[in-house]
Amino acid sequence: MEKPLCYDSIQASKKKKLIRKGRGEEMMKMMNEVLPSNIELDPLFNPKRVAVLGASENTNKIGYLQLKALLDAGFEGEIYPIHPTSKEIGELPCYASVGDTPEQVDLAILCVGINQVEKCLIDCGESGVKAAIVFASGYSEIGEEGIVAQNRLKEIAEQYHMRLIGPNCVGLLNTTNGLMGTFSPGLTNVPLGKKREVGFVTQSGAFGVLTYIAAAQHGLTFNYFVSVGNEVDVSFSDVIEYMLHDSKTKVASGYLEGEKNAAKLRKLAKFALQINKPIVIMKSGRSNAGSRAAASHTGSLAGADKVYDGFFKQAGIVRADDYDDILSFSKLFLANKLPTGKNTVIVTSSGGRGINEADRCESYGLNIHALSDKVRKEIEKNIPDFASASNPVDLTAAASITNPELYLAPLKVLVNDPDTDIILFPEFPIHWDENTSLLQEFVEICKNSDKFVMISNFPLKGMSIPKGVQYLEDNGIPFILGDMNPIRSLAKLVDYAEAYRKAHKISDEPARTELDVSNIRHLLPANQTLSESQSSEILSAYGIRTAKRITAKTEDAAVQAANNMGYPVVMKIDSPDIPHKTEVNGIRLNVQNGQEVRQAFKGIYGSAKEHCPTADLHGISVQEMLPEGVEVIVGVTSDPTFGPVIMFGLGGVFVEVFKDVSFRVAPITRQDAIDKMESLKGYQILQGVRNKKPVDQEAIIDVLLKVSRLIEDYSDIIQEIDINPLIVYEDGIVAADALIITK
């Protein structure tokens, strides 16, 4: 049973304050180091005076739990319990209202029911309170009535320029100053570590609490924990922004269900790469259950998760597959050394363990490279004859049982190997501590090298954790047990390092493609699916080469068009109501002469009428027969969160079967276009396979950038674009078919 608030608890809190005050001006300078962009949120994270509305001596009340949490954590500021009738709560003087406190309150924590929230917020606003936390539920999460009530909270916050966390949240923590703004025992009863450099924001209170606890159990203490609840004011990206500008935070992490301000998050991600402060997000909802059916291939392939995935890659945001990625990645990054590449060497005392880790590394994209003869011979000089100097380096059981010094032998060689980026130890002597000379030597070798060295012992309770773990981590050598997916997180760190290097080599500003384009709005009637000929006209206006075509309304006109164009030709139905021509047998390829033109005309027209009797038929398109090339697809769809997104992939009629496509949010840069190509599983096809020469990748980049410019210019009217197939050759590219849908 909880003990009531008592004199001892308050005295302990005051004692902690005195100790902290003795740290001098350096501590005060750190507390006040706030950039202009953080001023509005700073009262939430660094208040000097906190009021607890609904404070109580009843141990079953949230008001009691909140007050006790602040005292037990040694909050550095003043605490004002607010209760309409009580004079004193647990030796702390109590006040009837926020306006009665001796000094103006910075942060109000509302431990009251929904029926009292609005009145309390108004009182706070009238008293000049700068920020508030609202725990109460019963708002937008319950439907229309709750949405109306939540909008009233928003209006109050805006009226008084008061920043608001919640409602329907579990609160906010700043573990560096004792601000325990929560009632949750899952947060208040967790022991804190000394190193606190990772911030965490969550859209799920319960899942966030579990992640906070898991982090603590694995030696990682969050400096900030923020449950944003229904985000009536302060949003997920607002908190990310605060953490990026905060000097005490090195990693900004979070659990995201849906971003409300994608444009802001994109700008923040760019800033984060510039300052080398990773954003690590676990985004839930990987299924395509919410994706809509669409007329275009692009629309039907654009599941919400695929768009998020492309956005994260484009922005350099690290996507966590689960909470363990947040923890493992953060611990790896806090080593303060980025991997220089993917080449990984495994040093093990177990052949089987080495093979297992090699498989894991390769599955996540790390490269277990073959060591050069020179490197192998150098390693062999100092390991037993029965050991192996190949990669994985197998020191055998001798290293783990009788000769632990063997762990240093390959390390001394590998730190000088230009082909090695990462050195992984799946086992490590558990008896070495900071006083062990061998461990001290191991640490010095690692500190004086640019190689990324990490240790990941097999997870055996009571048998896996070396005594020298803290010494290792203090010196930039991360230790993570194997059940925390450290290899997957290591691969994510490698990808982040590459994104960081790219961000510092090239400008990420999406330079507008230089085009002499006249206004084509008259070619874009609202709320229509344009025919292929109409769509091709728009693409041509933006400098994208399309197949030569003439739309014929009669057999004679079709024959004349084919004669003028030269045989063979392709014939297609041209109709805005038939986006997928193959489904109505509306295409004829390799038409060789006038007679075949007439036969094709009758067949296509008749089939279209049979399948779509009410379709608006513009005629039959007679096109040049393009030579064989590699078929790709370029498309645009409008995402409800991100707006226009651009797709690229291998094209043709099977695009929805193979689904080898990638998405990026418009506008895109040249580097985005390159990344889109290289991310395809079939990228090797573009590079040339089976004696075929590489295709013109510059031409693909050019089309992607022109499509980006087109949707940038007309995002208000264009809903979808589908260029499929887009045929790319060794030299050049041609759009063989196109579809544009307007809003």
Side-chain angles (χ1 to χ4, degrees):
M1 182 176 176
E2 290 280 2
K3 294 180 180 179
L5 297 174
C6 61
Y7 178 80
D8 290 342
S9 178
I10 295 168
Q11 292 303 309
S13 173
K14 290 179 178 178
K15 185 177 180 181
K16 288 180 182 178
K17 289 180 187 177
L18 290 173
I19 293 172
R20 288 189 175 93
K21 286 178 181 177
R23 294 177 185 173
E25 294 182 3
E26 184 177 351
M27 182 66 183
M28 292 301 297
K29 182 180 179 181
M30 182 181 294
M31 288 179 63
N32 294 325
E33 189 178 19
V34 180
L35 297 178
S37 60
N38 281 22
I39 290 175
E40 285 191 356
L41 292 189
D42 205 51
L44 281 164
F45 291 89
N46 291 295
K48 295 177 181 177
R49 292 167 291 275
V50 173
V52 178
L53 284 73
S56 174
E57 286 190 297
N58 185 334
T59 60
N60 296 317
K61 296 284 189 179
I62 288 178
Y64 168 86
L65 296 173
Q66 175 58 85
L67 203 57
K68 185 174 188 300
L70 287 168
L71 290 167
D72 289 349
F75 173 59
E76 293 176 342
E78 298 299 326
I79 304 170
Y80 300 134
I82 307 297
H83 192 280
T85 58
S86 296
K87 299 298 182 183
E88 188 177 88
I89 296 181
E91 302 292 334
L92 284 175
C94 192
Y95 303 91
S97 71
V98 175
D100 294 334
T101 59
E103 294 183 88
Q104 184 173 301
V105 169
D106 299 309
L107 172 64
I109 304 177
L110 277 62
C111 303
V112 298
I114 187 172
N115 60 323
Q116 300 179 62
V117 169
E118 288 182 35
K119 180 182 183 302
C120 287
L121 273 184
I122 292 171
D123 288 345
C124 288
E126 294 289 341
S127 302
V129 175
K130 301 181 183 75
I133 299 172
V134 178
F135 296 137
S137 57
Y139 291 94
S140 62
E141 75 276 8
I142 68 167
E144 188 61 37
E145 183 180 347
I147 292 173
V148 172
Q150 184 166 301
N151 286 337
R152 290 199 296 268
L153 300 190
K154 184 176 179 66
E155 290 170 2
I156 295 169
E158 289 176 347
Q159 178 183 349
Y160 293 104
H161 304 288
M162 184 167 43
R163 301 312 304 263
L164 191 62
I165 290 283
N168 188 31
C169 71
V170 297
L172 178 152
L173 277 61
N174 181 347
T175 62
T176 68
N177 65 4
L179 176 63
M180 193 65 63
T182 183
F183 58 89
S184 170
L187 297 173
T188 59
N189 295 331
V190 175
L192 305 179
K194 293 181 180 179
K195 200 171 186 179
R196 307 172 194 180
E197 299 172 313
V198 179
F200 181 77
V201 53
T202 178
Q203 289 183 331
S204 167
F207 187 84
V209 171
L210 293 174
T211 302
Y212 182 87
I213 296 170
Q217 290 179 346
H218 288 86
L220 184 69
T221 296
F222 293 142
N223 60 347
Y224 302 130
F225 171 93
V226 185
S227 164
V228 290
N230 293 0
E231 300 182 70
V232 68
D233 172 39
V234 176
S235 68
F236 183 93
S237 56
D238 290 337
V239 178
I240 292 290
E241 181 179 30
Y242 184 90
M243 293 189 290
L244 291 180
H245 285 292
D246 177 69
S247 61
K248 297 185 288 291
T249 305
K250 290 187 177 179
V251 178
S253 67
Y255 169 83
L256 178 68
E257 292 175 352
E259 175 54 48
K260 296 180 179 179
N261 192 341
K264 178 174 182 176
L265 187 56
R266 184 176 184 178
K267 290 179 181 177
L268 292 175
K270 179 184 175 183
F271 174 64
L273 279 177
Q274 292 298 322
I275 63 174
N276 192 24
K277 189 176 284 190
I279 299 175
V280 186
I281 295 177
M282 177 186 168
K283 168 66 178 70
S284 61
R286 283 189 174 275
S287 71
N288 284 331
S291 64
R292 67 182 181 90
S296 71
H297 293 292
T298 308
S300 62
L301 288 167
D305 188 69
K306 291 188 180 208
V307 176
Y308 265 104
D309 203 49
F311 169 72
F312 286 158
K313 290 174 183 175
Q314 177 181 13
I317 294 173
V318 178
R319 182 167 192 176
D321 293 286
D322 211 331
Y323 76 95
D324 50 6
D325 281 338
I326 294 176
L327 311 188
S328 295
F329 180 94
S330 296
K331 294 189 74 172
L332 291 172
F333 182 80
L334 293 179
N336 294 318
K337 185 184 290 185
L338 292 178
T340 54
K342 296 184 176 183
N343 284 355
T344 304
V345 178
I346 298 170
V347 180
T348 177
S349 61
S350 163
R353 179 90 165 113
I355 294 170
N356 180 253
E357 290 302 278
D359 289 345
R360 203 186 314 275
C361 286
E362 293 280 4
S363 71
Y364 289 122
L366 300 176
N367 181 32
I368 306 300
H369 64 293
L371 299 178
S372 68
D373 290 341
K374 179 182 177 182
V375 169
R376 282 191 290 105
K377 288 176 181 177
E378 284 296 315
I379 294 175
E380 287 170 352
K381 289 179 182 178
N382 294 294
I383 64 174
D385 293 339
F386 49 83
S388 171
S390 298
N391 188 12
V393 177
D394 182 8
L395 301 174
T396 74
S400 60
I401 299 174
T402 59
N403 299 95
E405 69 276 4
L406 289 175
Y407 282 101
L408 273 69
L411 179 67
K412 292 177 180 178
V413 178
L414 292 170
V415 292
N416 295 312
D417 177 22
D419 295 329
T420 295
D421 303 304
I422 300 165
I423 306 171
L424 168 64
F425 289 85
E427 300 92 26
F428 200 74
I430 62 171
H431 300 296
W432 286 2
D433 60 24
E434 65 271 18
N435 298 313
T436 304
S437 60
L438 288 172
L439 181 58
Q440 293 171 353
E441 184 180 0
F442 183 94
V443 165
E444 284 304 309
I445 294 170
C446 295
K447 286 174 65 176
N448 293 319
S449 168
D450 67 343
K451 310 303 180 190
F452 191 91
V453 180
M454 67 169 287
I455 301 166
S456 176
N457 281 12
F458 201 87
L460 295 175
K461 191 173 182 179
M463 299 173 61
S464 298
I465 301 178
K467 294 179 179 178
V469 163
Q470 193 61 54
Y471 180 70
L472 286 164
E473 293 187 339
D474 288 345
N475 285 280
I477 305 167
F479 172 87
I480 305 173
L481 286 174
D483 59 350
M484 288 298 292
N485 266 314
I487 305 303
R488 185 172 68 193
S489 294
L490 176 61
K492 293 179 186 296
L493 183 67
V494 169
D495 289 342
Y496 169 79
E498 180 61 23
Y500 172 74
R501 285 189 287 269
K502 285 180 180 178
H504 285 74
K505 284 181 180 178
I506 60 172
S507 171
D508 196 40
E509 289 296 331
R512 285 170 63 87
T513 306
E514 293 300 324
L515 289 171
D516 183 15
V517 180
S518 58
N519 192 312
I520 60 166
R521 194 168 290 273
H522 64 286
L523 299 177
L524 293 164
N527 196 28
Q528 288 191 26
T529 298
L530 306 187
S531 69
E532 180 185 348
S533 58
Q534 292 172 310
S535 301
S536 296
E537 184 178 0
I538 292 167
L539 296 183
S540 297
Y542 270 74
I544 298 170
R545 183 186 165 194
T546 61
K548 295 176 185 176
R549 64 172 47 78
I550 297 173
T551 302
K553 295 184 178 296
T554 65
E555 289 182 30
D556 290 340
V559 172
Q560 184 177 352
N563 290 338
N564 293 337
M565 193 171 295
Y567 294 98
V569 296
V570 175
M571 297 177 66
K572 304 177 185 178
I573 190 68
D574 188 52
S575 169
D577 300 322
I578 306 177
H580 302 306
K581 304 171 185 65
T582 56
E583 294 178 3
V584 299
N585 195 24
I587 299 178
R588 299 292 188 274
L589 303 175
N590 201 29
V591 179
Q592 295 287 344
N593 52 54
Q595 183 179 355
E596 290 186 11
V597 169
R598 293 182 185 279
Q599 292 173 347
F601 190 98
K602 292 176 183 176
I604 292 172
Y605 207 89
S607 181
K609 277 292 186 183
E610 179 184 350
H611 287 87
C612 304
T614 61
D616 178 14
L617 305 182
H618 290 184
I620 304 297
S621 176
V622 180
Q623 299 179 13
E624 63 176 321
M625 181 79 177
L626 296 172
E628 181 182 353
V630 175
E631 294 186 359
V632 297
I633 179 173
V634 171
V636 174
T637 189
S638 294
D639 182 82
T641 298
F642 296 100
V645 293
I646 300 174
M647 182 187 80
F648 174 73
L650 296 181
V653 295
F654 298 118
V655 63
E656 291 187 42
V657 177
F658 298 117
K659 298 180 180 179
D660 190 11
V661 296
S662 65
F663 289 87
R664 296 293 186 271
V665 177
I668 64 171
T669 65
R670 174 181 171 80
Q671 187 60 48
D672 291 332
I674 293 170
D675 290 342
K676 285 168 73 67
M677 288 191 298
E678 293 180 349
S679 67
L680 298 182
K681 296 175 184 176
Y683 176 58
Q684 192 175 353
I685 293 173
L686 303 181
Q687 295 176 300
V689 293
R690 295 193 176 182
N691 298 321
K692 289 190 175 182
K693 293 183 179 180
V695 301
D696 190 346
Q697 294 185 35
E698 283 297 326
I700 296 175
I701 294 170
D702 181 64
V703 169
L704 286 168
L705 293 177
K706 286 175 177 175
V707 168
S708 178
R709 170 68 187 277
L710 171 59
I711 194 61
E712 187 181 2
D713 290 347
Y714 295 100
S715 60
D716 62 320
I717 187 67
I718 295 178
Q719 175 74 25
E720 294 182 11
I721 300 174
D722 213 50
I723 310 173
N724 180 40
L726 180 66
I727 304 178
V728 56
Y729 302 101
E730 182 184 342
D731 182 16
I733 194 166
V734 184
D737 204 341
L739 171 72
I740 293 178
I741 302 171
T742 60
K743 298 177 183 179

